[in-house]
Amino acid sequence: MCPTREQYFESWESEDLDEKLTQLLLLDRPHPKCQEPLVRESWHHGMVQEQGHLIKVQDLFGPAISTQKKPHTIILHGAARIGKSTLARQVREAWKQGRLYQGHFQYVFHLNCRELALSKVLSLAELIIKGQDVVLPPIGQILSQSEQLLLILDGLDEPKWVFEEETPELCLHWSQKQPVHTLLGSLLSKTTLPDASLLITARTTALGKLMPSLRMPRCVEVLGFSKTARKDFFFKYFLDESQAAKAFSSVKSNHALLTMCLMPWVSQLVCICLKLQMEHGKGLMLTPQTTTALCLHYLSQIFPTRPEKTQLRALCSLAAEGIWKGKTQFSSKDLRKYGLEEAIISTLLNTGVLHIDSSCHSYCFSHLCFQDFLATIFCILQEADGFGNIDIIKGVKTSLGICGRNDLFGALTSHFLFGLLSEHGARKLENIFNCQMSQEAKEELLQWVEAEVQNENPYSAQSYSLDLLHCLYEIQDKVFLTLAMAHFQGAMMCVLTDIEFHVFVFCLKFCYNVSRLRVTVQEKTQHEEELEPSSVVLLVSCGLTSRCCQVLASVLSDTPTLMELDLQQNDVGSRGVILLCKGLKHPRCQLKLLWVDHNHLNEAVSVELRDLEKVKPQLLVSSIRNQKESSPQVAQVEPFCLSSSALLEDQPTELLGTDDNFWGPTGLVTTRVIDKDKNLYRVHFPVAGSYHWPNTGIRFTVRGAVTIEIEFCTWSKFLDQSVSQHNWMVAGPLFDIKAEPGAVAAVHLPHFVDLQGDHVDISMFQVAHFKDEGMLLEKPTRVEPSSTVLKEPSFSPMGVLLRMLPTTALRFIPITSTVLLYHHPDPKEVTFHLYLIPSNCSIQKAIDDEEKKFQFVRLHKPPPVAPLYMGSRYIVSSSKNLEIIPKELELCYQNPGESQLFSEFYIDHLGSGIRLEMKDKKEGIVVWKALVKQGDLRPTATLVLPDLTASASLATVPDTLHFVDRYQEQLVACVTLVDPVLDKLHGHMLSEEQYESVRAETTKPDQMRKLFSFSRSWDWACKNRFYQALREAHPYLIVELWEKWGSMGNQEAS
């Protein structure tokens, strides 16, 4: 059964709805959409910076992830009528019932700012107790415990208040009366009750004027119902489960309507309409595609026959007065003033348009959104019926009390204006009010839109903001939309919900001049799987599924100017790609470049793509973007099968030594040098898991087998061109990583900032991405002692930066550092080079390469015993009277490839060894020390591995063992990279059967024993090939064995 009329028209105060509204999607991110940079040149610096995460209402006053500090000011913001005020009221009700914030707040007061605005002056005491429905202790007692006080300022943006920061000396006694806006301003700035907590509700578009008055607020956006909550709402509203199932099923058949049910007021209005249809024995089909059409449908159900024109107009006039004067409650006198008779009032109460507020014996609109709707009708009728001389636009601006253009397009009144002036809306109004709508009104509306758009940079977020697109969506007029979107070539907007995506895609179909579209997806949050958020790269970034591709296919066929479409990191699936191909084959589609993930696509897609290639030979379809390409015509498309290990043999590569390989679930994983000059490496991870490269500090967590390319880059190539280095400190190496989109679940990028002691604010860490547009900053998922972690990463040249505030000096940032010590033996003396650098693998590698050119060998010694500081100077000394030049080293960051600072000293005989140490020049504290002994030194000759192919004469020497035979026991015990060796021998000395029999052995030593069992039949040349394969796989092991060979040879010679 259904609830009674009184129960289901109780609007937002019911217990059931309270239970559901606490499950609204709440997005916590420091920079709301309206606070993000808007101009293209500056926008990309903060685009990825704060995507945010979902939180629950009970966590609003909990520690923030970025700072781990508990906030004292929360601002709940969002679109008009999204449920902010309802949630705020029910926070107070839940606390009152002992279900929320117990132990946190002893006093919670809900203050309706719209009602407060009716009072000119109030004291702090009057402000707090105004409208409270409980007996309170003395106000002095409450204010003496202000740290346990929560003030809910509901609708702070609605009155036209201008807040000015109050100085402490102007703070008056709590009994002293002040202008209300002054009193509230002192609360916002924490001049009054600095320890009290504030919960503020406001529209997102109004945050610009509020943020300067707030002290370190936590911004939480109310996004509306999740998909699950929408369904749950229906089953809570209809107590009869079969009726709930039928109602929800009927809405599911209308995708646009189901999407709009994200807004709680739409969900409730839909339920009311369906309930009325059930009562009248009508079918449950609902066809409205817009909120305006839904409200018109509701109006037609309230008045199934043509209503009394004067009475309905009076109701619209009452609604408009409420909007203008900020009134939500009306007395019986107010209703009589507008000529509303008892019969019509009874109808409005019975159908749920009005309800009686028993606490103050006044009438209220059950849905404030419906009040907006009726007020908009009043503005339109003013012109249509000649009741006034104002035009429609001015009427709407008056009704809004306009504060700025964003408020104008973001208000529901504006949405309804566009919907009511549509062909369907105008026809409905003419029928209801028996009036004639002028076509000039729609022309006036179009001129207004064009004027607003052309006043802005065509690439700014304001030009074609989502607020404006919402308005355009409501009108549903192809000619109007085509003219309105004529200037649309590209924009930047943040799409957070499925309704925003629905509106965007709808409007995009009428953009005939768009030239480039790139769509990607933000990572799913761990708390809420239904969030379909995204952050924009060029036009929009959103969660696409196969269902969306049918709409995109029509966009492709209707938009001949679109040249490039990027759908990477979207779950479009095989069906979605096939739908896209239909649009791509359309003769009007001129697309040149399509980026789409090829993961998990079936064979039917491959057939479809091959067919597409025949129809559209000019179209390139790829799954990995070359970050350096400047246009589709010059794009160098990498092959789809980059994840295949077979590619490892496509070009000359060089295996690294054991210490330079990744470690993963299967042990060592071979890393290959693709290009020494570019420092380009390639590695294939065979299975899912975590892989760590110890020598660099980088770590990948992958979902399955994948091939990754890693290039070491220099910051100077990118950073100087993008931002001032004075604002940022380089905090780690810079990598250019390429991998299949979606294959990497997380990447750990190394940094050298020492986090011990909590001296560093981890919120200052950012990951810099360098793209064609410039530098983009992304907040890491978390910061660990030696790395920053990004989940679901996108790849480009990327590395870790630390933001430097004006008050921050480098000498206060603790650094994890490394001391590098190299030696070069000479018949007369040994030369040493000593470096002090940040722990950066790129710098260390550059130094290693430079020293090797001059036959220097590195000695591995422990790192400094404590964190050091950039810009600090350190004195190098020794236990012997050595000349060290220079004696003083400064810890600084020098890009790889630049000349690095080092100290040089010489010694002719080590004897029992020398002790080296490094002291802080200012403090005199020893920060590093080491002992160098004769046994540490390795002959230079061991750096050059002998080439046995040049020693063929040894083969003719009787009883001479080959190197591999002499060290068979050591090779069996120590070789761990057997597969690369087998690959080199396969087809030369190993048959297919022998190759497989070696690989079938379960352990590496057994594999090597099996391999050696075949070597008995090999000649010297075959053993040379075996040696070459071992030398490539394990160069350091071969070095050690050659040293043994040399020492044995010397012993034999002696």
Side-chain angles (χ1 to χ4, degrees):
M1 60 179 290
C2 292
T4 65
R5 186 177 304 280
E6 288 74 23
Q7 286 174 318
Y8 71 74
F9 285 139
E10 268 187 325
S11 184
W12 305 103
E13 302 304 327
S14 70
E15 181 68 21
D16 291 337
L17 191 53
D18 167 54
E19 185 179 312
K20 284 302 154 192
L21 277 177
T22 57
Q23 297 178 13
L24 288 170
L25 292 175
L26 303 177
L27 181 66
D28 177 17
R29 60 174 184 166
H31 300 290
K33 283 189 285 187
C34 70
Q35 294 297 108
E36 292 172 348
L38 299 178
V39 182
R40 188 178 190 181
E41 287 75 17
S42 63
W43 167 80
H44 57 255
H45 292 278
M47 185 272 292
V48 190
Q49 185 169 337
E50 303 294 353
Q51 293 182 342
H53 63 283
L54 290 176
I55 63 172
K56 297 180 179 179
V57 66
Q58 54 263 41
D59 299 325
L60 285 176
F61 289 94
I65 287 181
S66 58
T67 64
Q68 295 301 309
K69 295 179 180 178
K70 293 183 178 181
H72 289 285
T73 300
I74 306 293
I75 182 161
L76 286 176
H77 65 95
R81 311 298 187 236
I82 198 68
K84 305 180 295 295
S85 294
T86 306
L87 184 60
R89 287 194 300 271
Q90 293 170 347
V91 163
R92 200 256 181 183
E93 188 63 25
W95 169 84
K96 182 180 175 182
Q97 296 173 2
R99 297 186 291 115
L100 189 64
Y101 302 145
Q102 297 303 299
H104 196 151
F105 299 118
Q106 189 170 348
Y107 307 103
V108 176
F109 298 103
H110 178 272
L111 307 176
N112 187 321
C113 292
R114 182 181 287 189
E115 295 176 3
L116 288 178
L118 301 177
S119 303
K120 299 299 182 183
V121 294
L122 288 173
S123 68
L124 180 60
E126 292 171 332
L127 179 81
I128 291 176
I129 66 176
K130 187 176 179 62
Q132 303 306 321
D133 54 358
V134 295
V135 178
L136 299 174
I139 190 65
Q141 179 181 332
I142 296 174
L143 299 181
S144 67
Q145 301 174 359
S146 61
E147 70 279 0
Q148 298 182 36
L149 172 63
L150 171 61
L151 297 178
I152 301 175
L153 304 179
D154 190 8
L156 185 63
D157 60 313
E158 294 192 30
K160 299 179 185 179
W161 286 324
V162 177
F163 300 111
E164 297 178 359
E165 185 176 343
E166 302 298 319
T167 58
E169 55 268 27
L170 293 179
C171 183
L172 303 177
H173 189 265
W174 53 262
S175 63
Q176 180 68 47
K177 290 183 180 291
Q178 303 178 69
V180 173
H181 73 278
T182 301
L183 184 56
L184 289 175
S186 67
L187 287 171
L188 298 179
S189 64
K190 296 295 183 180
T191 302
T192 299
L193 300 181
D195 297 326
S197 295
L198 302 177
L199 178 61
I200 300 166
T201 70
R203 291 163 295 165
T204 300
T205 51
L207 291 188
K209 71 172 186 176
L210 295 180
M211 293 295 281
S213 303
L214 302 175
R215 291 293 176 266
M216 300 180 66
R218 181 181 197 172
C219 295
V220 178
E221 184 166 5
V222 181
L223 299 178
F225 279 149
S226 67
K227 291 180 180 177
T228 302
R230 292 172 224 178
K231 181 178 180 180
D232 289 348
F233 182 87
F234 279 73
F235 280 81
K236 284 290 183 180
Y237 185 90
F238 293 95
L239 299 184
D240 186 307
E241 190 169 322
S242 64
Q243 287 186 339
K246 290 177 182 178
F248 188 70
S249 178
S250 69
V251 174
K252 281 180 65 177
S253 65
N254 184 341
H255 172 67
L257 189 60
L258 179 63
T259 301
M260 291 189 296
C261 282
L262 172 139
M263 296 179 283
W265 74 270
V266 173
S267 287
Q268 189 180 27
L269 199 57
V270 166
C271 287
I272 292 174
C273 290
L274 290 173
K275 176 63 177 76
L276 290 172
Q277 290 177 204
M278 289 179 184
E279 287 185 340
H280 292 94
K282 297 180 179 179
L284 295 185
M285 180 63 67
L286 276 180
T287 59
Q289 299 287 305
T290 67
T291 56
T292 307
L294 178 64
C295 289
L296 284 168
H297 180 78
Y298 178 42
L299 190 63
S300 67
Q301 286 187 301
I302 297 171
F303 304 106
T305 58
R306 181 175 293 179
E308 172 58 42
K309 176 180 175 182
T310 305
Q311 292 289 294
L312 188 50
R313 180 182 296 281
L315 180 65
C316 294
S317 181
L318 178 73
E321 182 194 18
I323 296 295
W324 294 336
K325 296 183 178 180
K327 291 177 63 175
T328 58
Q329 297 175 338
F330 304 91
S331 65
S332 298
K333 183 179 179 181
D334 291 329
L335 270 60
R336 289 194 300 270
K337 170 187 171 183
Y338 283 93
L340 291 173
E341 300 172 353
E342 290 297 328
I344 194 71
I345 293 174
S346 178
T347 300
L348 295 174
L349 289 172
N350 289 335
T351 53
V353 177
L354 297 179
H355 77 274
I356 298 176
D357 188 337
S358 57
S359 64
C360 55
H361 306 289
S362 61
Y363 295 90
C364 303
F365 283 92
S366 296
H367 312 278
L368 293 179
C369 305
F370 200 65
Q371 182 180 353
D372 288 323
F373 172 72
L374 295 174
T376 310
I377 291 179
F378 176 79
C379 294
I380 293 174
L381 293 180
Q382 286 285 86
E383 181 179 68
D385 284 355
F387 272 56
N389 295 322
I390 61 172
D391 61 39
I392 293 177
I393 304 305
K394 288 182 179 179
V396 170
K397 289 183 178 181
T398 301
S399 69
L400 290 174
I402 191 63
C403 300
R405 279 180 296 216
N406 276 345
D407 279 347
L408 185 60
F409 288 131
L412 275 178
T413 309
S414 295
H415 293 192
F416 290 138
L417 174 65
F418 279 75
L420 290 170
L421 290 180
S422 68
E423 183 178 349
H424 171 264
R427 189 169 61 250
K428 281 283 188 179
L429 287 182
E430 288 176 348
N431 182 53
I432 293 172
F433 290 95
N434 192 26
C435 64
Q436 184 67 37
M437 300 294 295
S438 171
Q439 283 297 317
E440 294 178 0
K442 188 184 290 188
E443 294 174 4
E444 178 187 344
L445 196 64
L446 179 61
Q447 292 171 6
W448 172 40
V449 171
E450 290 178 333
E452 291 294 324
V453 169
Q454 292 173 7
N455 282 340
E456 299 289 348
N457 181 331
Y459 281 99
S460 78
Q462 285 184 319
S463 300
Y464 287 92
S465 67
L466 281 167
D467 290 332
L468 173 56
L469 296 188
H470 272 285
C471 291
L472 295 175
Y473 173 79
E474 290 287 329
I475 204 165
Q476 299 274 308
D477 185 306
K478 183 175 181 179
V479 175
F480 187 99
L481 282 160
T482 301
L483 294 171
M485 301 299 290
H487 303 286
F488 185 89
Q489 297 178 359
M492 298 168 295
M493 53 191 66
C494 186
V495 176
L496 287 172
T497 63
D498 52 358
I499 191 171
E500 291 179 344
F501 171 67
H502 179 78
V503 167
F504 171 78
V505 172
F506 175 84
C507 293
L508 186 64
K509 290 190 293 183
F510 303 96
C511 302
Y512 297 102
N513 295 317
V514 63
S515 59
R516 191 175 186 219
L517 173 63
R518 182 180 180 191
V519 186
T520 55
V521 64
Q522 174 186 311
E523 66 175 289
K524 304 281 185 184
T525 66
Q526 58 183 340
H527 298 99
E528 175 59 63
E529 70 279 7
E530 287 98 346
L531 181 65
E532 297 183 15
S534 50
S535 55
V536 183
V537 179
L538 277 178
L539 293 178
V540 66
S541 170
C542 42
L544 286 175
T545 63
S546 58
R547 186 184 62 197
C548 308
C549 290
Q550 188 165 3
V551 178
L552 284 176
S554 66
V555 171
L556 291 170
S557 59
D558 291 340
T559 315
T561 56
L562 184 61
M563 293 291 110
E564 179 180 349
L565 177 61
D566 189 339
L567 299 177
Q568 292 181 102
Q569 301 181 44
N570 285 283
D571 187 21
V572 296
S574 299
R575 180 173 177 271
V577 175
I578 291 174
L579 288 171
L580 279 174
C581 287
K582 294 180 180 179
L584 291 167
K585 291 178 182 178
H586 195 281
R588 283 176 54 81
C589 177
Q590 301 298 316
L591 200 72
K592 302 294 184 185
L593 192 57
L594 172 66
W595 303 100
V596 61
D597 293 338
H598 274 229
N599 295 342
H600 314 301
L601 299 184
N602 58 32
E603 181 61 29
V605 175
S606 301
V607 173
E608 192 72 28
L609 289 175
R610 285 195 290 269
D611 185 46
L612 175 64
E613 187 177 5
K614 297 175 183 177
V615 178
K616 297 281 185 174
Q618 79 280 7
L619 174 63
L620 289 175
V621 183
S622 181
S623 62
I624 293 185
R625 171 177 291 276
N626 183 338
Q627 299 293 346
K628 300 295 189 296
E629 120 275 0
S630 57
S631 69
Q633 288 74 17
V634 298
Q636 300 298 313
V637 182
E638 297 189 30
F640 295 131
C641 53
L642 182 62
S643 60
S644 170
S645 58
L647 281 178
L648 297 176
E649 303 301 333
D650 288 349
Q651 53 184 304
T653 63
E654 176 183 331
L655 293 173
L656 293 176
T658 304
D659 295 340
D660 281 321
N661 285 289
F662 276 87
W663 285 87
T666 59
L668 280 174
V669 181
T670 305
T671 307
R672 298 173 181 263
V673 180
I674 304 301
D675 190 325
K676 282 186 176 181
D677 295 333
K678 293 178 62 178
N679 285 317
L680 179 61
Y681 300 81
R682 177 179 287 170
V683 60
H684 178 73
F685 299 142
V687 297
S690 180
Y691 294 84
H692 181 224
W693 193 354
N695 277 7
T696 66
I698 197 169
R699 182 189 297 271
F700 295 95
T701 301
V702 299
R703 293 190 169 91
V706 62
T707 297
I708 295 179
E709 287 188 358
I710 307 167
E711 180 181 350
F712 292 82
C713 304
T714 60
W715 285 96
S716 58
K717 179 180 177 182
F718 299 93
L719 198 57
D720 286 343
Q721 302 170 7
S722 300
V723 295
S724 170
Q725 293 194 41
H726 298 296
N727 298 329
W728 301 95
M729 186 190 86
V730 171
L734 185 67
F735 303 97
D736 189 358
I737 301 169
K738 290 183 174 66
E740 282 286 343
V744 179
V747 61
H748 296 237
L749 298 173
H751 69 76
F752 50 71
V753 179
D754 192 296
L755 299 183
Q756 296 180 4
D758 297 327
H759 298 305
V760 179
D761 183 357
I762 62 173
S763 68
M764 295 295 102
F765 280 85
Q766 299 287 334
V767 175
H769 295 260
F770 294 96
K771 299 180 179 289
D772 293 340
E773 307 96 295
M775 183 175 78
L776 286 77
L777 297 175
E778 181 175 8
K779 188 176 182 60
T781 307
R782 65 178 182 272
V783 179
E784 296 180 343
S786 59
S787 65
T788 58
V789 184
L790 285 180
K791 289 187 177 180
E792 306 298 337
S794 61
F795 291 118
S796 61
M798 61 195 302
V800 183
L801 291 177
L802 189 70
R803 188 175 186 84
M804 303 297 293
L805 299 177
T807 57
T808 308
L810 285 174
R811 64 179 180 275
F812 297 123
I813 305 297
I815 298 298
T816 302
S817 56
T818 300
V819 175
L820 301 178
L821 183 62
Y822 299 85
H823 81 281
H824 182 280
D826 186 87
K828 296 183 179 179
E829 59 186 2
V830 181
T831 305
F832 290 89
H833 289 169
L834 186 146
Y835 296 79
L836 175 62
I837 61 170
S839 295
N840 183 314
C841 60
S842 297
I843 299 175
Q844 181 174 321
K845 186 179 183 306
I847 294 173
D848 278 341
D849 292 344
E850 185 68 16
E851 293 288 339
K852 284 177 183 178
K853 291 179 184 178
F854 300 96
Q855 301 280 299
F856 275 74
V857 182
R858 184 180 167 196
L859 302 179
H860 292 273
K861 295 298 175 183
V865 296
L868 306 184
Y869 296 87
M870 286 288 196
S872 297
R873 294 179 174 273
Y874 301 90
I875 305 298
V876 182
S877 61
S878 71
S879 57
K880 294 188 177 182
N881 188 22
L882 300 178
E883 184 178 6
I884 300 175
I885 304 175
K887 289 186 176 182
E888 190 176 297
L889 285 178
E890 177 183 346
L891 178 60
C892 60
Y893 182 88
Q894 299 280 103
N895 280 293
E898 297 179 0
S899 297
Q900 304 289 331
L901 305 177
F902 67 90
S903 292
E904 185 177 57
F905 55 94
Y906 307 85
I907 187 170
D908 54 3
H909 183 64
L910 280 177
S912 59
I914 58 171
R915 295 185 182 277
L916 299 173
E917 70 176 27
M918 202 178 294
K919 289 183 179 179
D920 187 301
K921 181 180 179 181
K922 184 177 180 180
E923 304 293 338
I925 300 172
V926 176
V927 298
W928 176 82
K929 56 185 177 181
L931 174 64
V932 181
K933 300 184 294 183
Q934 184 67 43
D936 293 331
L937 306 187
R938 174 180 295 178
T940 309
T942 62
L943 289 175
V944 182
L945 294 175
D947 185 357
L948 293 185
T949 58
S951 305
S953 58
L954 289 174
T956 62
V957 179
D959 301 324
T960 300
L961 284 176
H962 194 283
F963 178 91
V964 295
D965 295 323
R966 180 182 290 272
Y967 295 108
Q968 177 176 337
E969 181 180 352
Q970 289 87 344
L971 291 171
V972 167
C974 299
V975 171
T976 58
L977 299 175
V978 181
D979 282 351
V981 174
L982 294 177
D983 292 341
K984 294 292 184 182
L985 305 183
H986 185 215
H988 298 283
M989 301 112 68
L990 291 180
S991 65
E992 182 67 27
E993 182 180 353
Q994 291 173 326
Y995 177 84
E996 292 298 336
S997 66
V998 173
R999 298 191 75 236
E1001 298 293 333
T1002 56
T1003 67
K1004 302 300 183 185
D1006 286 344
Q1007 288 179 338
M1008 288 299 293
R1009 291 189 187 97
K1010 188 71 172 180
L1011 182 58
F1012 270 106
S1013 70
F1014 300 130
S1015 71
R1016 298 168 190 155
S1017 61
W1018 294 348
D1019 58 18
W1020 194 272
C1022 289
K1023 292 180 179 180
N1024 280 351
R1025 183 181 288 272
F1026 184 22
Y1027 165 80
Q1028 295 293 342
L1030 290 169
R1031 188 178 76 163
E1032 291 180 10
H1034 285 284
Y1036 291 103
L1037 173 62
I1038 302 303
V1039 165
E1040 292 176 4
L1041 296 179
W1042 267 111
E1043 289 176 349
K1044 282 189 176 183
W1045 182 304
S1047 61
M1048 289 171 59
N1050 292 336
Q1051 292 172 5
E1052 292 171 0
S1054 61

